[in-house]
Amino acid sequence: MTIYLPIAELSVNIFIILGMGAAVGFLSGMFGVGGGFLITPLLIFYNIPPVVAVATGANQVVASSISGAITHFRRGTLDIKLGTVLLVGGLSGATVGIWIFSLLRAIGQLDLIISLMYVIFLGTVGGLMLLESIKAMRRAARNEPPVPRKPGHQHWVHKLPLKVRFKKSKIFLSVIPIVALGFAIGILTSIMGVGGGFIMVPAMIYLLRIPTNVVVGTSLYQIIFVTAYTTIVQAATNFSVDIVLAFILMVAGVVGAQYGVRVGQKLRGEQLRALLGLLVLAVGLRLAIALVVTPADVYSVVMGTGN
């Protein structure tokens, strides 16, 4: 069964799109990531124009993140205060990112930059997460205790000023690195169509030292508002959000996210990180191959717009 996408200007198999949305929603709820780092490349692989894939993929992230965040809120694993501080930086970063997105599109380099950014970020983050989780699982298998931190030792992040106490996360931390992290994620959201969870989750765990059980729900909370804002502004400025495609992905994503949260609660932290690392590396490798392999159609013809 095919359906026509008015903005993407092509017909697609509705069951394939539903399958993509459900799979990404499942992974979103399971790992605490928005899923945009998966849905955007999948749409591009399915011949959806990158401009539409980025803007519409961000929209799908909203639905799956809401579904997952509600579940975590009910279970008490969502830090609203911490998520709101992240949100301040996220909205600012998204505004800057949309301006960069429009500039790259105007000079005709958007598709290449999107692919390169995905390869670099996914390869780096996926590799680091996989290596760390493998080390953690080996220590657990040998019944070795975690390497203790030296008494009085503090990470440089914890020495910054403007500290605030986050009771839910049980940390006393400066708002500077939190806002900076949110700002960086906001830029990535608007340029790459991602929620940014694949970077925010490990950064919150390893850099900010936030408990893993709170990170997932808080990440989804911030992702909801930043991606919603990005979608609205992208639709108003670049006219690149395909509402038909977005609706199909949203419906499937909400359903998939509920099952993903249930599965994620049954796995240990290092197991979740290892699976997410493998998934991130696989997507990055697929995009890297697409960049170097000669396409079947070396030339393409597109309609230009005259001034």
Side-chain angles (χ1 to χ4, degrees):
M1 179 179 175
T2 60
I3 187 170
Y4 182 73
L5 305 179
I7 302 299
E9 298 182 340
L10 54 84
S11 297
V12 297
N13 188 311
I14 189 172
F15 296 110
I16 292 178
I17 301 298
L18 284 170
M20 287 183 185
V24 171
F26 177 85
L27 296 171
S28 172
M30 183 176 178
F31 295 122
V33 296
F37 76 98
L38 281 175
I39 196 62
T40 301
L42 286 175
L43 291 174
I44 293 174
F45 297 157
Y46 196 53
N47 295 322
I48 303 295
V51 173
V52 177
V54 167
T56 307
N59 185 78
Q60 188 269 349
V61 170
V62 178
S64 57
S65 297
I66 289 175
S67 180
I70 290 174
T71 303
H72 282 284
F73 178 76
R74 291 172 177 171
R75 296 183 178 182
T77 54
L78 193 162
D79 191 328
I80 298 291
K81 186 177 181 181
L82 177 61
T84 302
V85 177
L86 281 168
L87 184 58
V88 172
L91 294 177
S92 302
T95 302
V96 174
I98 290 171
W99 175 79
I100 297 174
F101 183 94
S102 301
L103 178 63
L104 292 173
R105 186 180 183 186
I107 63 178
Q109 298 298 321
L110 182 63
D111 294 4
L112 175 62
I113 296 300
I114 289 174
S115 297
L116 287 174
M117 288 183 68
Y118 265 106
V119 171
I120 294 171
F121 278 102
L122 296 183
T124 302
V125 174
L128 291 174
M129 289 186 67
L130 184 60
L131 287 174
E132 190 280 335
S133 57
I134 289 175
K135 291 179 181 178
M137 286 188 288
R138 285 179 176 176
R139 286 196 300 267
R142 294 193 294 261
N143 293 321
E144 294 180 1
V147 179
R149 298 175 60 191
K150 296 179 181 180
H153 174 74
Q154 281 190 321
H155 197 278
W156 65 269
V157 169
H158 295 80
K159 298 179 181 179
L160 296 174
L162 301 177
K163 289 187 176 181
V164 174
R165 188 171 302 279
F166 300 95
K167 295 182 179 180
K168 177 68 72 172
S169 299
K170 299 179 181 179
I171 58 173
F172 185 54
L173 186 65
S174 168
V175 298
I176 296 175
I178 301 174
V179 172
L181 176 61
F183 184 85
I185 297 304
I187 292 178
L188 293 179
T189 298
S190 51
I191 296 179
M192 300 172 66
V194 300
F198 69 98
I199 291 179
M200 182 157 47
V201 168
M204 292 171 72
I205 293 173
Y206 303 122
L207 181 63
L208 304 183
R209 305 293 176 86
I210 298 171
T212 303
N213 64 319
V214 178
V215 165
V216 174
T218 306
S219 169
L220 291 173
Y221 170 81
Q222 188 262 7
I223 287 169
I224 291 171
F225 297 99
V226 174
T227 49
Y229 171 77
T230 300
T231 300
I232 293 171
V233 179
Q234 286 281 27
T237 58
N238 294 306
F239 311 104
S240 52
V241 178
D242 194 305
I243 190 63
V244 176
L245 176 61
F247 179 76
I248 298 173
L249 291 172
M250 286 173 63
V251 171
V254 168
V255 176
Q258 293 298 316
Y259 290 97
V261 171
R262 296 176 186 177
V263 174
Q265 294 290 330
K266 298 178 181 179
L267 296 175
R268 296 197 305 270
E270 62 270 18
Q271 292 175 327
L272 281 173
R273 295 194 295 272
L275 290 173
L276 181 57
L278 285 171
L279 189 62
V280 169
L281 280 176
V283 176
L285 180 61
R286 173 64 178 82
L287 280 168
I289 293 173
L291 281 175
V292 298
V293 173
T294 304
D297 297 321
V298 180
Y299 301 100
S300 61
V301 178
V302 297
M303 295 296 294
T305 57
N307 295 326

